[in-house]
Amino acid sequence: MPFVYLDVQQVEGRSCLSIVANDQLGILKQKRADTVKENINAIASMSRSGGDALRTPASCGSRLHGNVDVFSHVSGSSKDAFSKHPVKKFESSDLQWIENIPECPVFCPSVEEFENPLDYLQRISSIASKYGICKIISPLSVSVPAGVVLMKELAGFKFTTKVQPLRLAEWAADDMITFYMSGRKYTFRDFEKMANKEFSRKFSSTGCLPAKFIEEQFWHEIAFGKTDMVEYACDIEGSAFSSSPKDQLGQSNWNLKKISRLSKSILRHLVAPIPGVTDPMLYIGMLFSMFAWHVEDHYLYSVSYHHCGASKTWYGIPGHAAPDFEKVAQNHVYGSDILQSEREDAAFDVLLRKTTMFPPIILLERNVPVYKAVQKPGEYIITFPRAYHSGFSHGFNCGEAVNFAIGDWFPFGNMASQRYALLNRMPLLPHEELLCREAQFLSNRLSTSDPKIHVPSTEESTSQQNVKLSFIYLMRFQHFGRWTLMKLGSRTCIKLQNVLCSICRRDCYVSHVICNCSNDPICLRHEKELRSCCCNNNRIVHMRGDILELEALARTFEQENAIAKEIQSLNQQDDHRYLWSRSFYGIEEDGYFPYCDIKVDVNYQPASTETSAIHDDDDSDSGIFRVKRRPSNQSQKRSIGDTLCSGYQGHQGFQRLKKLCPTVRQLPAVPSGSNRSITLDDPTSASHVTKHKPSSSQASRGLVLSESSKFKSDYSSLHIRKLKLKLNQNNELHAPRLKVRMSPAANGANSKDTATSRMPSEVSQRRKP
């Protein structure tokens, strides 16, 4: 079905700057001061468009929620935040370069091809990804306009705009650009009226103007024009897709509220929603409101739908040219005084603030490929992993965007995680967890499908191969890391949570290390820190209960001929997209070989003090049964950990543990007054009661189980109190009530949020006062 463009009467308006905003601008120019310097430095962290929300609160400061009267010059800059001045390196008096930017691919799928978004995008990705962006024209029409949805279906919908200085910057220490919160709240209709009025004042017209003319006017205005600033409502939580059953597009899978939960979407593994990533956000613009050069969080795909209004111009850089783009930004855009270092990630760090705008001619002159798209109502723009993009609005409009990922994203997601770790930035996604869950899902799907009936396409096979390769490298790395730590004398226990590394902030889904001198988790990528730690051998490796199953799955993938050949090729090429730290293939150091048996060795030496000593015992196959609880005097709030898929909960960990140690017995009673320690014997042999205090060579054996009274997926710490088993005068051993939050994904839709388990009735435990 051919797409029919909206005519002039259907377009909902154009825009520039409100009279009220102009009046306020005169006020704020008289009130600039250095008193809000710290707040200005933190403005970039106010939303995903600011990028610095990935930083810690300590580094980004408090958010600025005032109105335009509190604006100040940027970071103590002597340059006016809004006034224009010539910027020689962006000299753009000749705008002929605009005609030299080629168009990106445009796809017009049929209704049948349009039915499944991720299948269709997977089919066209081999072509479209070479351009960084592409345009898809919807074959389905919208019967409920966005304005109706936002004004009637979403009663009371209002939003706050950001103020964007409409000028180029020198990008030196005394001249950078920051986007400010306006403090003004609009309804959808109020913003439309203001924007249309300003468009009419600017061009003495209310109709559509040629895209090339608007593009020329934008770059002229940003360099020499008289407009001080524009307003842009970006990152507004919500959707303008109608819930009406009569709306064809709203009922289709191209409704952006559904994308992240489709069957092939990697983000479906996330339990908690992430606005803008798993849930769409709205972008309501006016004439010349811009989205600066940026790349999507974690190098994800993005899909943007244009609901109504004036067009948008997009510029896109292919993912393979991203390093060249960053080099141009570092060497020809940013001054050395604003870069934190000279390393290759220096420009990436500044670009994450999403306030850098410069003309594409800078890239064209240095042979960086740039492509362009003009997006109209009813059209989708797709950006591919690691593709930088920017653009601006031709007038009042309303768009909506969300991220998504399919299997071929994992290598890019790994690269993004590495870069975030180097910059010590907080991740939005638990990459390691997503990879493990998708690998397990893929294995289950392949084992249940009939290969004769379902023959995967070339694109689907490539996507599956990316999942398998990424997973294999992760498990190889984890295995070698655990082998090295066990060789150094570390012990192991079952981990119950996904946590963040306290050093690089990566998610530690498979395993992490905790030293005796600190309760902070450390991932296995910090060999230098672990070797130099004063703990020596007093470390515990917390690993998943199903780690052997994950390793077995990786070995199964490796047996495929295509995967084995690809592994050899990647090792020779040293392909950094897949490498987590380094390749462990071919390592034969001190008898190590991939997936060799690693002896689980966790021991516990009872001590008279509050802190129990842990020591080595080669005869032990597992550790004592310890219960870890959060201190009652600490009220820890949810943080970024809420974005984890579901965490690794106590019930699952205990079940995995029972598989490894199937014959755990109940503890017998011990006569009162006897100074004897109770041990859980090696589950592979007959259990017994040790009738003497264990020595360093005869440590008590048993199970290790980490547990908290209420699991709150909190990345920040693992400060958990250690409780010891003690006998009371009535010959009873009291066990605390264990409360474990169960994962809906793991326990089914009808499972309860919490589950309670107790030791047998004749076995109990009481806390130490």
Side-chain angles (χ1 to χ4, degrees):
M1 180 171 60
F3 177 79
V4 180
Y5 291 100
L6 298 177
D7 59 24
V8 175
Q9 286 74 25
Q10 290 174 300
V11 177
E12 295 192 14
R14 311 291 179 264
S15 75
C16 190
L17 185 65
S18 68
I19 298 176
V20 174
N22 274 319
D23 294 339
Q24 290 180 331
L25 179 59
I27 298 174
L28 68 91
K29 285 183 176 180
Q30 300 176 8
K31 293 188 176 182
R32 294 187 180 93
D34 292 336
T35 56
V36 292
K37 178 179 178 180
E38 292 182 0
N39 283 335
I40 293 300
N41 288 332
I43 286 177
S45 67
M46 299 185 66
S47 66
R48 290 183 62 250
S49 66
D52 282 353
L54 301 179
R55 296 186 186 276
T56 58
S59 63
C60 66
S62 59
R63 296 184 178 183
L64 180 62
H65 289 289
N67 55 42
V68 294
D69 291 346
V70 300
F71 294 162
S72 175
H73 54 278
V74 181
S75 299
S77 169
S78 61
K79 302 290 177 69
D80 192 297
F82 298 96
S83 64
K84 295 179 174 64
H85 59 273
V87 181
K88 292 183 179 180
K89 57 186 173 185
F90 300 142
E91 200 284 321
S92 56
S93 57
D94 183 6
L95 297 176
Q96 291 299 316
W97 55 266
I98 291 177
E99 298 181 357
N100 298 331
I101 303 178
E103 297 283 338
C104 73
V106 178
F107 297 90
C108 301
S110 64
V111 174
E112 292 75 18
E113 292 173 325
F114 198 68
E115 184 175 358
N116 193 314
L118 300 186
D119 283 345
Y120 183 74
L121 293 172
Q122 201 171 58
R123 287 199 298 271
I124 68 173
S125 63
S126 59
I127 298 174
S129 62
K130 298 176 182 178
Y131 299 85
I133 62 173
C134 73
K135 182 165 68 173
I136 298 176
I137 300 176
S138 171
L140 302 179
S141 60
V142 174
S143 58
V144 182
V148 174
V149 175
L150 296 179
M151 289 185 293
K152 294 185 178 180
E153 291 188 17
L154 300 179
F157 175 73
K158 290 186 177 182
F159 53 87
T160 303
T161 60
K162 280 190 176 181
V163 174
Q164 299 177 330
L166 197 61
R167 70 176 182 89
L168 295 172
E170 294 180 1
W171 289 105
D174 66 338
D175 187 28
M176 294 183 287
I177 292 292
T178 301
F179 296 162
Y180 308 89
M181 293 300 292
S182 69
R184 286 177 53 80
K185 283 189 174 293
Y186 290 93
T187 64
F188 184 75
R189 183 59 66 193
D190 289 341
F191 188 84
E192 179 188 15
K193 291 178 179 178
M194 177 276 291
N196 289 340
K197 186 178 296 183
E198 297 304 329
F199 182 94
S200 178
R201 180 182 296 126
K202 176 71 175 179
F203 294 122
S204 300
S205 172
T206 58
C208 292
L209 297 176
K212 181 185 175 183
F213 171 78
I214 296 293
E215 187 176 12
E216 291 174 345
Q217 290 297 308
F218 172 78
W219 290 110
H220 181 272
E221 188 67 42
I222 205 172
F224 312 110
K226 296 181 180 180
T227 303
D228 294 288
M229 63 180 186
V230 294
E231 294 182 77
Y232 186 32
C234 56
D235 299 324
I236 308 300
E237 293 187 30
S239 173
F241 281 98
S242 175
S243 58
S244 170
K246 297 181 181 180
D247 192 295
Q248 286 184 314
L249 193 59
Q251 292 300 305
S252 76
N253 285 331
W254 284 85
N255 181 332
L256 299 193
K257 292 183 288 187
K258 302 179 180 180
I259 289 285
S260 66
R261 301 303 174 189
L262 296 178
S263 60
K264 289 188 178 180
S265 169
I266 303 301
L267 301 183
R268 75 189 184 282
H269 296 299
L270 294 170
V271 172
I274 306 175
V277 177
T278 62
D279 292 351
M281 280 183 165
L282 291 167
Y283 299 83
I284 305 173
M286 58 185 290
L287 179 67
F288 299 156
S289 59
M290 72 186 85
F291 46 102
W293 289 108
H294 69 284
V295 67
E296 295 299 311
D297 297 314
H298 289 267
Y299 292 166
L300 290 164
Y301 286 83
S302 77
V303 52
S304 175
Y305 180 71
H306 196 330
H307 282 286
C308 63
S311 302
K312 290 182 180 179
T313 291
W314 291 69
Y315 302 108
I317 311 295
H320 66 80
D324 296 330
F325 175 90
E326 292 171 5
K327 288 179 182 177
V328 170
Q330 182 164 339
N331 299 327
H332 302 283
V333 175
Y334 297 134
S336 59
D337 52 351
I338 70 170
L339 299 175
Q340 297 296 321
S341 66
E342 295 182 358
R343 64 189 182 192
E344 61 180 10
D345 288 319
F348 175 72
D349 192 23
V350 182
L351 285 164
L352 285 175
R353 302 174 189 175
K354 301 182 183 179
T355 57
T356 302
M357 194 64 171
F358 56 85
I361 182 61
I362 306 300
L363 302 169
L364 295 174
E365 291 175 343
R366 292 158 182 84
N367 299 317
V368 178
V370 185
Y371 299 94
K372 178 168 55 179
V374 178
Q375 184 188 24
K376 301 179 179 66
E379 298 178 349
Y380 290 87
I381 291 290
I382 309 299
T383 69
F384 291 84
R386 210 185 180 186
Y388 279 92
H389 49 282
S390 67
F392 60 90
S393 294
H394 295 196
F396 168 79
N397 55 32
C398 176
E400 183 173 334
V402 75
N403 290 121
F404 68 94
I406 50 181
D408 60 8
W409 162 79
F410 277 111
F412 296 98
N414 180 41
M415 281 193 292
S417 294
Q418 290 181 14
R419 302 189 82 178
Y420 286 172
L422 289 173
L423 297 172
N424 198 30
R425 300 181 71 89
M426 189 74 74
L428 285 176
L429 301 177
H431 183 272
E432 194 173 296
E433 182 174 3
L434 290 174
L435 176 56
C436 291
R437 289 183 177 275
E438 183 62 20
Q440 291 173 307
F441 173 83
L442 177 61
S443 174
N444 293 334
R445 185 163 66 87
L446 293 177
S447 63
T448 56
S449 62
D450 189 344
K452 296 180 180 180
I453 299 177
H454 178 72
V455 179
S457 63
T458 302
E459 294 79 15
E460 186 176 2
S461 297
T462 301
S463 179
Q464 293 177 0
Q465 184 167 293
N466 277 297
V467 175
K468 295 175 182 179
L469 286 171
S470 298
F471 180 68
I472 288 169
Y473 269 86
L474 169 62
M475 296 315 300
R476 286 253 183 168
F477 167 79
Q478 288 284 340
H479 185 272
F480 182 78
R482 287 193 300 118
W483 181 85
T484 302
L485 289 168
M486 295 302 292
K487 181 183 175 183
L488 294 175
S490 300
R491 283 125 344 245
T492 60
C493 73
I494 300 300
K495 74 192 301 286
L496 302 181
Q497 290 179 279
N498 191 356
V499 299
L500 281 188
C501 172
S502 60
I503 297 177
C504 68
R505 305 188 184 186
R506 296 175 191 249
D507 74 301
C508 305
Y509 181 69
V510 177
S511 66
H512 66 269
V513 183
I514 291 185
C515 293
N516 190 44
C517 62
S518 173
N519 284 327
D520 295 326
I522 303 174
C523 72
L524 273 57
R525 296 171 181 85
H526 302 290
E527 181 180 359
K528 179 179 179 181
E529 290 84 351
L530 291 172
R531 287 183 180 273
S532 61
C533 178
C534 61
C535 288
N536 295 324
N537 296 333
N538 291 329
R539 305 188 191 95
I540 298 180
V541 180
H542 295 249
M543 62 181 186
R544 287 182 55 82
D546 61 347
I547 193 168
L548 297 181
E549 296 178 22
L550 293 175
E551 290 177 353
L553 176 57
R555 297 179 69 176
T556 301
F557 288 157
E558 289 189 43
Q559 294 174 2
E560 301 177 17
N561 292 331
I563 296 296
K565 292 179 181 179
E566 187 67 19
I567 288 173
Q568 294 179 356
S569 174
L570 290 173
N571 285 332
Q572 295 173 357
Q573 300 172 13
D574 194 27
D575 192 328
H576 62 282
R577 293 184 307 159
Y578 292 92
L579 299 182
W580 290 79
S581 175
R582 59 176 175 139
S583 173
F584 300 120
Y585 287 86
I587 293 179
E588 296 181 359
E589 178 184 347
D590 295 333
Y592 175 80
F593 59 91
Y595 305 118
C596 62
D597 291 336
I598 299 177
K599 189 173 183 179
V600 178
D601 186 6
V602 180
N603 299 297
Y604 175 78
Q605 173 63 50
S608 58
T609 59
E610 179 71 20
T611 303
S612 300
I614 301 177
H615 68 318
D616 293 328
D617 184 352
D618 293 336
D619 295 330
S620 177
D621 294 325
S622 59
I624 63 133
F625 178 64
R626 290 182 296 175
V627 179
K628 295 184 177 181
R629 292 184 178 273
R630 296 184 186 274
S632 58
N633 60 349
Q634 292 183 359
S635 58
Q636 299 188 8
K637 297 181 180 180
R638 285 182 184 267
S639 61
I640 193 69
D642 288 333
T643 65
L644 286 174
C645 300
S646 63
Y648 186 61
Q649 307 302 337
H651 176 74
Q652 292 176 313
F654 191 67
Q655 293 301 319
R656 300 295 186 192
L657 202 56
K658 288 174 65 178
K659 288 184 179 180
L660 295 177
C661 308
T663 57
V664 178
R665 288 188 28 163
Q666 176 184 316
L667 294 179
V670 178
S672 61
S674 60
N675 185 20
R676 300 173 183 173
S677 62
I678 292 181
T679 64
L680 293 179
D681 196 16
D682 188 334
T684 61
S685 62
S687 61
H688 64 275
V689 178
T690 305
K691 297 184 179 181
H692 62 277
K693 186 175 181 178
S695 64
S696 60
S697 61
Q698 295 175 319
S700 57
R701 302 171 181 176
L703 304 178
V704 173
L705 182 62
S706 298
E707 188 271 338
S708 63
S709 59
K710 281 191 176 181
F711 279 113
K712 296 182 178 180
S713 299
D714 191 345
Y715 275 127
S716 59
S717 68
L718 286 179
H719 299 292
I720 304 175
R721 179 183 302 171
K722 299 178 180 179
L723 299 179
K724 297 188 299 181
L725 300 179
K726 296 186 65 178
L727 295 174
N728 68 358
Q729 295 180 354
N730 296 324
N731 302 333
E732 292 181 340
L733 188 65
H734 296 282
R737 186 179 182 89
L738 307 182
K739 294 183 179 180
V740 181
R741 176 175 295 172
M742 307 306 293
S743 166
N747 298 280
N750 296 326
S751 62
K752 296 181 180 180
D753 291 337
T754 60
T756 303
S757 62
R758 286 185 180 272
M759 296 287 285
S761 58
E762 64 271 22
V763 181
S764 60
Q765 178 188 9
R766 59 185 174 88
R767 293 194 181 197
K768 180 178 180 179

